[in-house]
Amino acid sequence: MNETALNPADQARSLVDHRYRSTFRYEVEREKIREFARAVQDAHPAHRSESAAAELGFPGLVAPATFSSIILTRVHREILDTLITGYDPTRILHADQVFDFGRPLVAGDRLTCDIYFESFRHFGDYDVLAIKSVLIDQHGTVVQTGSSALLARVGGRDPGLADAVRKVAMDDRAPAAPRRARGSAVVPAAADYLSPTPTRRSPRPVIDFADLSVGTELPVRTMRLSRGDLVNYAGVTGESNPVLFDERVALASGLPTVVAPGMLKLGLATSFLTSWLGDPTAVTRFRAQFAHNSHHLRIPPLDAGTIQFRGRVTSTDPRRRRATIAVDARADGRKLFGYAAAEVLFPQAVTAAV
């Protein structure tokens, strides 16, 4: 067999400037929204009550901001199982993530995911693949996009451990595969990528834009995570890499203990923001770079780890009624993000009649 053809770096490099349509369509279900909201500790009633969602102007339960991480987790796994097959899944890090929200996902949405392979490069011990995901609803509208940077550590792999991880990822404990779509293929990408269609709905945060200024600080919030929470999140999202919940596999992979996945930390961060805003749809963009030296949030075996979230307004745009909020998250004094910030949209000011 041709070894070069199986080299994952060559496989990844050959995909750059191409588009891949995922092999499934995902339907957003009410119970999955409720499960995900619990997993990321988001208590807004619009995630649980149809009447609360209707008060915000939506026909069904509103999914938390990072609900699409369920889809991205499965699509990333699909890519590594079918298109780039040589990387050890225990050595892949999620380095950077951007979410752009055209509108929130709502129960009943049926979504297709297109992946654009933007770049590939190698430095040090890592291969770095940058990909853009585009979520398209049943009406053909782009509702959300995301950009991800995946780091694969190369060299010194343990093939036996990698095979064990793949076996766990494909066993019966993983959620059932969603309904397949037609026409999946890798094709040349368009010159410009699609962007989310902006929502026509005006957000309704409880925070008054007029009260914000550069330097305004958000109330501090502390969240707790146990190993049971990690197992629950893995079950909800289909995140089946056992380094996240199996101590033996984590230690064999060179980790100090089981760790919380990056997407869970992003979900907790956006929950922190929406609990302050009072409207889970006001965040229009969220970007995070994971701190390299403390990327892993360690969870003790018989206790819960704690994360302290802080936020600070770093800029305001009165014309567009937008604010940028930097988010700081720390566990045991270690920063979980090298950088994290959200763009938040506020309703237009009402002009008094003369």
Side-chain angles (χ1 to χ4, degrees):
M1 188 174 290
N2 188 332
E3 291 294 329
T4 301
L6 295 179
N7 184 307
D10 290 340
Q11 291 175 325
R13 192 176 290 109
S14 71
L15 293 171
V16 173
D17 294 329
H18 283 70
R19 188 207 75 190
Y20 172 73
R21 173 155 291 180
S22 176
T23 59
F24 63 81
R25 294 186 189 275
Y26 186 90
E27 182 166 352
V28 180
E29 300 175 346
R30 291 182 301 170
E31 285 309 311
K32 185 61 73 172
I33 289 175
R34 292 177 175 129
E35 291 173 1
F36 187 84
R38 287 192 293 270
V40 297
Q41 303 184 29
D42 193 327
H44 195 281
H47 305 319
R48 296 172 172 81
S49 163
E50 279 86 356
S51 60
E55 289 180 6
L56 291 178
F58 294 97
L61 293 186
V62 177
T66 61
F67 183 89
S68 58
S69 61
I70 295 177
I71 303 170
L72 296 184
T73 295
R74 297 183 184 184
V75 173
H76 290 172
R77 189 171 68 200
E78 179 181 335
I79 290 169
L80 295 171
D81 284 344
T82 61
L83 300 180
I84 310 172
T85 56
Y87 288 124
D88 182 340
T90 68
R91 289 174 171 251
I92 293 178
L93 298 177
H94 197 163
D96 183 286
Q97 180 66 45
V98 181
F99 288 103
D100 284 298
F101 309 107
R103 69 161 174 84
L105 304 181
V106 178
D109 277 336
R110 298 185 302 279
L111 305 169
T112 299
C113 184
D114 282 357
I115 292 292
Y116 295 83
F117 297 92
E118 297 189 297
S119 67
F120 173 85
R121 58 195 173 99
H122 175 84
F123 70 93
D125 294 328
Y126 292 93
D127 287 346
V128 184
L129 180 63
I131 61 178
K132 183 177 180 111
S133 57
V134 177
L135 291 183
I136 305 165
D137 70 9
Q138 61 272 27
H139 307 296
T141 301
V142 175
V143 292
Q144 292 185 13
T145 64
S147 297
S148 307
L150 303 179
L151 273 65
R153 186 164 186 173
V154 295
R157 297 197 305 257
D158 179 348
L161 180 61
D163 290 343
V165 171
R166 289 191 182 93
K167 183 176 184 301
V168 171
M170 293 184 290
D171 71 14
D172 291 337
R173 290 184 297 155
R179 180 166 58 88
R180 286 189 175 273
R182 297 178 180 175
S184 300
V186 177
V187 298
D192 55 342
Y193 303 143
L194 298 172
S195 298
T197 301
T199 181
R200 295 179 181 178
R201 174 190 169 274
S202 180
R204 306 172 189 174
V206 298
I207 303 299
D208 191 337
F209 181 80
D211 294 335
L212 300 181
S213 60
V214 174
T216 298
E217 295 188 356
L218 280 61
V220 178
R221 182 180 177 187
T222 299
M223 299 185 189
R224 294 172 61 83
L225 277 180
S226 68
R227 294 200 176 183
D229 293 325
L230 298 188
V231 172
N232 178 58
Y233 181 82
V236 170
T237 62
E239 175 58 87
S240 55
N241 190 336
V243 299
L244 305 174
F245 48 80
D246 187 311
E247 182 87 12
R248 179 187 62 83
V249 176
L251 293 175
S253 302
L255 298 173
T257 184
V258 296
V259 297
M263 285 293 199
L264 173 55
K265 287 176 277 189
L266 297 184
L268 296 173
T270 54
S271 296
F272 159 68
L273 290 169
T274 57
S275 67
W276 171 69
L277 291 164
D279 183 339
T281 70
V283 176
T284 60
R285 192 172 208 259
F286 189 83
R287 179 181 181 183
Q289 296 174 337
F290 296 102
H292 182 69
N293 62 350
S294 59
H295 176 80
H296 301 299
L297 171 58
R298 305 168 187 177
I299 307 297
L302 300 176
D303 199 358
T306 59
I307 310 175
Q308 189 173 76
F309 287 94
R310 298 176 182 272
R312 178 177 175 273
V313 176
T314 58
S315 69
T316 59
D317 184 341
R319 184 182 64 83
R320 299 171 64 203
R321 303 285 288 181
R322 292 180 184 270
T324 301
I325 300 171
V327 176
D328 180 84
R330 296 175 187 255
D332 297 324
R334 299 190 307 272
K335 294 184 65 173
L336 300 185
F337 302 124
Y339 168 85
E343 291 184 11
V344 179
L345 180 63
F346 291 82
Q348 291 298 320
V350 178
T351 302
V354 178

